[in-house]
Amino acid sequence: MSGPRENLASLLRARRGYLGTVGPDGTPNVVPVCFTWAGDAIWTSVDGKPKSTDRLQRVRNIEADARVSFTVDRWDEDWSKLAWLQAKGNAVILGKSIEADKATEALESKYSQYLEVPLNGPVIRIDVDEWIGWSAD
């Protein structure tokens, strides 16, 4: 693969995406995430905002079942501008590595908030097997 269709790739400049994982009972679990991407890979990370646990459900889900989907969309009251893009693939929880460091740097570059709220959790890489999408234009 070589990334999404050109007319939908601009959606990956979005500030927020939605990560879907498979829960332990087979039900979907979808959460909004910050992300970065290159080619057929998407990275997101767990940040230092207060959470009820250090072992987030999305991480536990990926450890048990690597299948994920990731979605970004463009919403507008003018429905001729609507579009969405979904990546389907498998996720990996990265340990300490050069790749994780580079993903963290890319996320910090995209989101200035990470200069005050550090990325102190694991980095997740999504290896995209399929891009699907739709655009009204």
Side-chain angles (χ1 to χ4, degrees):
M1 301 202 88
S2 59
R5 290 192 332 248
E6 189 174 321
N7 68 323
L8 295 173
S10 67
L11 291 173
L12 290 168
R13 284 190 229 121
R15 304 290 293 163
R16 174 194 66 235
Y18 298 92
L19 175 63
T21 60
V22 180
D25 60 357
T27 59
N29 179 267
V30 179
V31 294
V33 296
C34 295
F35 70 96
T36 189
W37 75 285
D40 287 322
I42 298 167
W43 294 267
T44 185
S45 184
V46 177
D47 61 38
K49 291 190 302 293
K51 297 171 178 50
S52 59
T53 178
D54 290 337
R55 298 266 308 135
L56 295 181
Q57 187 67 51
R58 71 189 92 155
V59 173
R60 293 193 314 264
N61 288 352
I62 290 167
E63 289 172 343
D65 187 335
R67 295 175 299 159
V68 298
S69 67
F70 174 83
T71 303
V72 290
D73 69 328
R74 179 176 59 232
W75 168 257
D76 196 286
E77 293 297 332
D78 176 353
W79 284 11
S80 69
K81 297 178 182 177
L82 300 179
W84 58 268
L85 177 66
Q86 185 174 79
K88 294 184 178 191
N90 290 292
V92 176
I93 308 296
L94 300 177
K96 299 283 184 194
S97 64
I98 292 171
E99 179 184 1
D101 290 344
K102 286 184 177 184
T104 297
E105 288 173 14
L107 287 161
E108 289 170 344
S109 176
K110 183 176 179 181
Y111 302 94
S112 62
Q113 296 89 335
Y114 286 142
L115 299 177
E116 295 186 29
V117 179
L119 292 167
N120 58 358
V123 173
I124 299 167
R125 181 187 70 227
I126 301 167
D127 297 317
V128 180
D129 295 324
E130 179 183 16
W131 294 98
I132 58 173
W134 173 84
S135 162
D137 52 9

